[in-house]
């Protein structure tokens, strides 16, 4: 089963994705987490990605697609993957469709977490205070919201044409949202 969680920064993709992946028994792949680990380890990938991430810009598609290609070719991904934070551009979505097709697979569900913009900013500023992520400052947050709107939201229409979009209200407590998500991907 191949599931994508789509949502703005601060929508809870990572939190909800982790719980849902455990429930579905498939690995969670977060491109954001993979990139942050690469930055921390100082690998060439991390060095290239850091500047984009700190500014709230997307890391180039070619870099991300190299990562995804590797993941989909690994045995742990054979039964499926839950991806959060990927895809983020139409080019990424088209590329993953082609890769999955090579493995006789397709995207089963795209869960879209809907959260009001005012709440997103609140959550991200709260997270900045707690976790100290270098991209959780107001300037980068505003840039990431703009990038989501301009480059990632068009994916909803792209996946709508495949009939796989499941919209999930992302406000309220974590458990209630998780219950909605599970229903959405069981349908
Ligand atoms: P958030 O959704 O809160 O911005 P993420 O961890 O998903 O958090 O992403 C953090 C940053 O990592 C993004 O702003 C971007 O620079 C980079 N990134 C993560 N996933 C992708 C992707 N699929 N394509 C391009 N850049 C990505």
């Amino acid at each position: 089963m191949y599931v994508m969680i789509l949502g703005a920064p601060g929508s809870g993709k990572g939190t909800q994705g982790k719980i849902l992946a455990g429930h579905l028994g498939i690995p969670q792949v977060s491109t954001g987490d993979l990139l942050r680990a690469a930055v921390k380890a100082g690998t060439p990938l991390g060095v290239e990605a850091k500047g984009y991430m700190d500014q709230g810009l997307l890391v180039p598609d070619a870099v991300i697609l190299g990562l995804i290609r590797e993941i989909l070719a690994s045995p742990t991904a054979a039964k499926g993957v839950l991806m959060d934070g990927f895809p983020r551009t139409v080019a990424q979505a088209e590329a993953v469709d082609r890769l999955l097709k090579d493995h006789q697979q397709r995207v089963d569900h795209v869960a879209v977490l809907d959260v009001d913009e005012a709440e997103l900013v609140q959550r991200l500023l709260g997270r900045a205070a707690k976790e100290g992520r270098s991209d959780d400052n107001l300037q980068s947050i505003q840039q990431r919201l703009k990038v989501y709107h301009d480059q990632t939201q068009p994916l909803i229409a792209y996946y709508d044409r495949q009939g796989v979009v499941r919209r999930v209200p992302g406000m309220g407590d974590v458990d209630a949202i998780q219950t909605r998500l599970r229903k959405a991907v069981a349908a």
Side-chain angles (χ1 to χ4, degrees):
M1 182 187 248
Y2 291 84
V3 179
M4 317 296 198
I5 302 200
L6 220 73
S11 60
K13 300 182 297 285
T15 306
Q16 294 294 341
K18 189 172 171 196
I19 310 170
L20 184 62
H23 169 74
L24 296 172
I26 53 177
Q28 176 202 25
V29 172
S30 158
T31 43
D33 285 350
L34 290 172
L35 292 170
R36 276 185 290 280
V39 170
K40 208 170 161 199
T43 65
L45 167 68
V47 171
E48 182 173 3
K50 187 173 176 12
Y52 296 102
M53 295 172 77
D54 283 346
Q55 287 180 68
L57 299 172
L58 294 182
V59 174
D61 286 337
V63 175
I64 298 290
L65 287 169
L67 265 179
I68 294 294
R69 218 171 276 126
E70 233 175 82
I71 288 163
L72 289 180
S74 77
T76 46
K79 285 198 191 136
V81 182
L82 179 144
M83 299 200 182
D84 86 66
F86 175 89
R88 265 173 145 97
T89 64
V90 171
Q92 290 180 13
E94 288 172 348
V96 81
D97 275 353
R98 281 194 299 272
L99 283 172
L100 287 176
K101 211 167 167 198
D102 291 345
H103 294 86
Q104 281 83 47
Q105 300 287 354
R106 49 163 292 178
V107 175
D108 296 284
H109 305 282
V110 175
V112 181
L113 283 175
D114 287 312
V115 176
D116 296 349
E117 182 142 337
E119 165 94 11
L120 292 172
V121 176
Q122 281 284 316
R123 287 187 191 177
L124 291 167
L125 290 174
R127 186 170 79 187
K130 259 192 285 176
E131 294 176 19
R133 239 175 76 171
S134 60
D135 60 347
D136 282 342
N137 57 75
L138 195 56
Q139 198 183 356
S140 163
I141 289 169
Q142 278 165 346
Q143 180 62 45
R144 277 147 65 210
L145 288 171
K146 180 173 161 28
V147 166
Y148 178 73
H149 180 264
D150 294 349
Q151 293 185 259
T152 307
Q153 261 181 345
L155 286 183
I156 300 173
Y158 174 88
Y159 282 120
D160 241 339
R161 288 193 285 277
Q162 298 185 15
V164 294
V165 172
R166 326 280 178 235
R167 295 204 86 123
V168 176
M171 315 270 290
D173 67 65
V174 172
D175 290 350
I177 299 165
Q178 181 64 209
T179 303
R180 283 179 220 137
L181 255 180
R182 288 184 187 182
K183 276 196 196 132
V185 303

